[in-house]
């Protein structure tokens, strides 16, 4: 691209977004069958474009290798035939979910006979800023289409060749069903300035969803002038209360740490009531150690379990994303709650207890999106919650909190039906 | 106040907000009876402080007169004995409303036996930035307390003496019931820098509500780093369709314009199908003219009704707030919808029609918080909708859209109750 100023990029991006808004109107009034037909066209288009996608992806992989982005990122960037088939399958799975639009959320008839219905409608244009994984392009666009929204995408530079082909497949699928393909927009061709314009597009982007690292999300939150849904980072706690059942403590902590340590609902810190420490900690920590978990513990825990390394203050604020776990003995539930208040990111916390007063207090006082009793934190997940699809896990309090499904990609409007009523 | 830097103000405001967050925990777990007792203490405190409030208000009124702020603003600023009694009454009316907290929004039992409940919880700390009218101080604080939230207030400089006394009454009412008075914070003593700090307090303010002029709201939207709920401005339309009943058209347009022209749900522009113009316009416009409405009309309307003045392009984008109305003849519903798309602020639009296909199309395609058929736009109101109290009317799509009641001052959290379940 030749040199252009940020202002020129902004004008060009805004123009593209205005076209998306125009296209969004068609999608918003399209019935569920038509939106599902678009998704089927996209799924078929992905399958038919397998070779083209692999060829474009190869360019991204080569660039990534040249730039030494590392094996992990290269793996996340890679699209091979089985992954492309899985992408098409995922689109079809979204198509068969119940339609989130048109549901009546609340309704009533006023004393004067006026009928009120609050119904689910699309936002209009959803923005998405994300990194590396090109599958997010398909995933978020399919969720947007299912919920009647247009989408404006800004994927990572690392995946730009892959994303260019995927965006074309998406637009073709929309156009194949008689809808305006501008419902799918990408601002990748404008680089970082395009992302900035997307974040500044008040009135053109109804909601912006950042997906990726904590630093990406923070950067979007700091910059955006459009409404943002914060998804993300979880410093997740499990508190083993005085009355914790040993077998539940062992099973749940092990599951929460070991089953999939790289995701946001994996546990990061286990807090143990000092009156339970001797009884439950050895069993819990032995099971973890056998699965290769590295333990970072406070002094009191190390007296009981010397194999653990010494934690630092940093341990308690860290989302580990690996087989590493902080462990700390606390005097009572007050200290546990205070620790959680100080270090939780408001994602998920769980208590293992047999005492109903303690569990109720934990549920009432822990201010997180999901608060659990006697269950693994790994259950914080749209799929597990029965939503069918997951847009992300919101750690903010406005609009959506916790796992977000299709209905969290909708707004509402009030439909008022009268027969000539005027107000007194 | 002596000279301090913006950084120093920010530190001081953030410290105050941290104290409010701490106090918010007590309010969040207080049951409904205790929160209602706080409101009763505040109502009684307002009554007992009538003289003190009037004395403080006199200082603000004197300053306002010296500064020539005008009769309208002076009237909005004035607190006399009847208005103070009305303030106390309003607090008691909020106390008797149903408790918005603890309601289960959704619930289910998963196949593995885990029980899920999504329940309403307070946000935590609500920020409010508003102008002139000191009654907003009591109003928004009472709504916050009822919904279990702490509040951080920034009122206008014009009302600072009045607000100082009112904030003290609020804090005393909280403290009188054994709760931490820091649940009520004001940053008025820091002036404009205090407002800026409030808008920057990410993680300390959960949601910020600006109340006042369109320019205040825009300034907050442009500056805030915390989530904002946009309330406000309404450029409101009524479309008289080809089949509009004449009596309904006359009644509804007259009610929507004349009953209370200074509010956001008053109509600003009437669009008329050209096939109905000759039949309905004279009656509609005569009724308006008799009530002193100034008409700004397009050329085609003026051919039919020469008493109307000529509108300018500016007419169509103006929220009049006075007895002024734009009037325009359109060729068909497509032109009406296009005009609304171009000029509506997404607040309220209504169609007067006998044709069900036209009404359904209008309801589906108009993208506003409230869309009506055969009813006055004046019904867009929390009180009319049966909410008991109104926080404002949201014209955004995130979190709340249309009239906001107490439940719009809440977030939710997921309560998960298991019996040892781990994820497969």
């Amino acid at each position: 691209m030749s040199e252009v100023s940020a202002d020129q990029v902004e004008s060009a991006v805004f123009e593209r977004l205005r076209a998306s808004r125009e296209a969004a109107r068609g999608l918003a009034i399209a019935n569920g069958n038509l939106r599902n037909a678009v998704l089927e066209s996209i799924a078929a288009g992905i399958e038919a474009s397998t070779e083209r996608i692999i060829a474009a992806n190869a360019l991204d992989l080569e660039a990534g290798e040249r730039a030494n982005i590392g094996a992990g990122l290269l793996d996340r960037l890679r699209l091979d035939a089985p992954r492309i088939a899985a992408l098409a399958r995922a689109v079809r799975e979204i198509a068969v979910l119940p339609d989130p639009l048109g549901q009546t959320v609340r309704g009533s008839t006023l004393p004067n006979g006026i009928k009120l219905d609050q119904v689910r409608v699309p936002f209009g244009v959803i923005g998405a800023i994300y990194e590396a994984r090109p599958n997010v392009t398909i995933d978020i666009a399919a969720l947007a289409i299912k919920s009647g929204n247009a989408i404006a995408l800004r994927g990572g530079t690392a995946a730009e060749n892959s994303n260019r082909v995927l965006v074309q497949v998406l637009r073709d699928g929309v156009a194949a069903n008689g809808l305006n393909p501008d419902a799918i927009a990408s601002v990748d061709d404008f680089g970082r300035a395009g992302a900035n314009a997307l974040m500044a597009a008040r009135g053109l982007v109804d909601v912006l969803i950042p997906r990726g690292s904590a630093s990406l999300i923070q950067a979007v939150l700091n910059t955006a002038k459009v409404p943002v849904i914060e998804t993300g980072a979880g410093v997740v706690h499990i508190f083993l209360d005085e009355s914790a059942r040993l077998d539940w403590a062992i099973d749940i902590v092990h599951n929460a740490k070991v089953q999939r340590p790289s995701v946001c609902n994996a546990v990061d810190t286990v807090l143990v009531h000092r009156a339970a420490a001797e009884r439950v900690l050895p069993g819990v920590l032995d099971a973890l150690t056998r699965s290769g978990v590295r333990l970072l513990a406070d002094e009191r825990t190390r007296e009981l379990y010397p194999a653990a390394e010494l934690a630092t203050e940093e341990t308690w604020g860290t989302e580990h994303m690996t087989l590493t776990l902080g462990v700390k003995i606390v005097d009572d539930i007050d200290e546990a709650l205070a620790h959680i208040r100080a270090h939780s990111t408001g994602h998920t916390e769980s208590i293992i207890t047999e005492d109903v007063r303690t569990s109720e207090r934990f549920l009432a006082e822990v201010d997180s999106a999901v608060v659990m009793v006697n269950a693994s934190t790994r259950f914080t997940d749209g799929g597990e919650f029965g939503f069918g699809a997951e847009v992300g896990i919101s750690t903010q309090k406005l609009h959506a909190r916790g796992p977000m499904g299709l209905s969290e990609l909708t707004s509402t409007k009030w439909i008022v039906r009268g027969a000539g009523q005027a107000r007194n």
Side-chain angles (χ1 to χ4, degrees), chain A:
Chain A
M1 208 168 65
S2 60
E3 287 277 321
V4 289
S5 72
D7 278 358
Q8 287 172 304
V9 169
E10 191 167 281
S11 302
V13 167
F14 284 7
E15 197 176 324
R16 202 171 289 179
L17 292 171
R18 272 188 283 271
S20 293
R21 285 197 89 67
E22 183 65 23
R25 298 198 293 119
L27 208 52
I29 59 173
N31 65 31
N33 287 340
L34 180 52
R35 281 176 275 125
N36 290 341
V38 171
L39 292 175
E40 174 52 36
S41 296
I42 289 169
I46 292 169
E47 290 169 340
S49 309
T50 302
E51 309 244 310
R52 202 152 58 96
I53 296 168
I54 289 175
N57 188 247
L59 298 176
D60 290 330
L61 289 172
E62 280 164 35
E65 272 164 25
R66 273 197 309 275
N68 267 315
I69 62 172
L73 277 180
L74 279 175
D75 182 60
R76 298 174 72 186
L77 190 54
R78 179 167 289 114
L79 288 175
D80 51 22
R83 286 184 179 181
I84 292 168
L87 266 184
R89 213 159 43 234
V91 172
R92 291 196 174 100
E93 282 166 8
I94 289 170
V96 298
L97 291 174
D99 191 347
L101 298 183
Q103 296 168 2
T104 299
V105 179
R106 282 188 279 183
S108 62
T109 303
L110 302 185
N112 62 9
I114 281 181
K115 289 199 179 58
L116 290 184
D117 286 294
Q118 186 182 29
V119 298
R120 286 204 189 286
V121 296
F123 275 116
V125 177
I126 296 176
I129 296 185
Y130 52 99
E131 294 171 319
R133 290 162 51 161
N135 57 317
V136 173
T137 304
I138 296 296
D139 185 37
I140 192 90
L143 291 164
I145 291 165
K146 178 77 186 182
S147 55
N149 291 291
I151 185 112
L153 299 158
R154 158 61 179 160
T157 313
E160 62 181 342
N161 292 292
S162 313
N163 284 337
R164 193 177 304 118
V165 175
L166 294 174
V167 165
Q168 195 54 53
V169 168
L170 290 165
R171 289 175 60 94
D172 290 348
V174 172
N177 290 276
L179 292 167
N180 182 339
D182 290 340
I184 311 289
S186 164
V187 299
D188 279 353
D189 48 331
F190 296 111
R192 182 178 291 258
N196 287 333
L198 198 58
M199 290 189 276
R202 185 117 42 102
L204 296 173
V205 170
D206 295 288
V207 58
L208 180 62
I209 301 174
R211 281 179 63 164
S213 66
S215 65
L216 171 90
I217 291 166
Q218 281 309 312
V220 170
L221 283 166
N222 276 318
T223 311
K225 299 280 180 206
V226 299
V228 175
I229 293 183
E230 185 175 354
T231 61
V235 176
V236 169
H237 299 79
I238 296 177
F239 173 47
L240 307 178
D241 180 40
E242 184 171 358
S243 64
R245 256 178 74 160
L246 177 60
D247 55 342
W248 290 4
I250 293 173
D251 284 358
I252 288 173
V253 171
H254 188 272
N255 182 257
K257 181 73 256 180
V258 174
Q259 198 217 12
R260 200 168 166 206
S262 65
V263 292
C264 60
N265 59 17
V267 67
D268 296 289
T269 299
V270 167
L271 304 169
V272 194
H273 195 295
R274 66 171 172 176
E278 222 166 313
R279 180 173 61 84
V280 304
L281 262 192
V284 168
L285 301 185
D286 279 350
L288 293 169
T289 304
R290 277 196 297 275
S291 293
V293 174
R294 178 183 175 209
L295 301 172
L296 301 177
D298 69 329
E299 285 290 7
R300 283 203 279 185
T301 299
R302 294 185 71 229
E303 282 166 26
L304 212 76
Y305 201 84
E309 297 169 52
L310 186 61
T312 64
E313 194 46 39
E314 207 194 327
T315 303
W316 315 121
T318 302
E319 183 182 22
H320 298 299
M321 311 295 277
T322 58
L323 283 176
T324 301
L325 180 73
V327 186
K328 186 179 183 181
I329 293 174
V330 294
D331 284 342
D332 50 28
I333 186 173
D334 291 298
E335 189 182 344
L337 291 171
H339 181 99
I340 288 170
R341 267 201 305 286
H343 300 291
S344 167
T345 53
H347 187 294
T348 302
E349 333 296 334
S350 184
I351 184 174
I352 315 299
T353 185
E354 296 265 78
D355 183 289
V356 70
R357 284 180 56 190
T358 308
S359 75
E360 290 304 309
R361 187 172 165 207
F362 190 85
L363 290 173
E365 296 195 22
V366 171
D367 185 22
S368 295
V370 186
V371 193
M372 301 179 166
V373 179
N374 295 328
S376 168
T377 56
R378 290 276 296 121
F379 285 111
T380 297
D381 177 272
E384 293 291 323
F385 274 31
F387 294 171
E390 183 179 281
V391 180
I393 293 174
S394 165
T395 53
Q396 70 178 37
K397 292 183 180 174
L398 206 66
H399 183 71
R401 195 175 189 203
M404 294 193 291
L406 283 166
S407 62
E408 280 69 34
L409 288 186
T410 66
S411 181
T412 56
K413 78 177 175 192
W414 288 95
I415 300 288
V416 177
R417 295 171 195 268
Q421 286 90 341
R423 186 165 162 188
N424 295 321

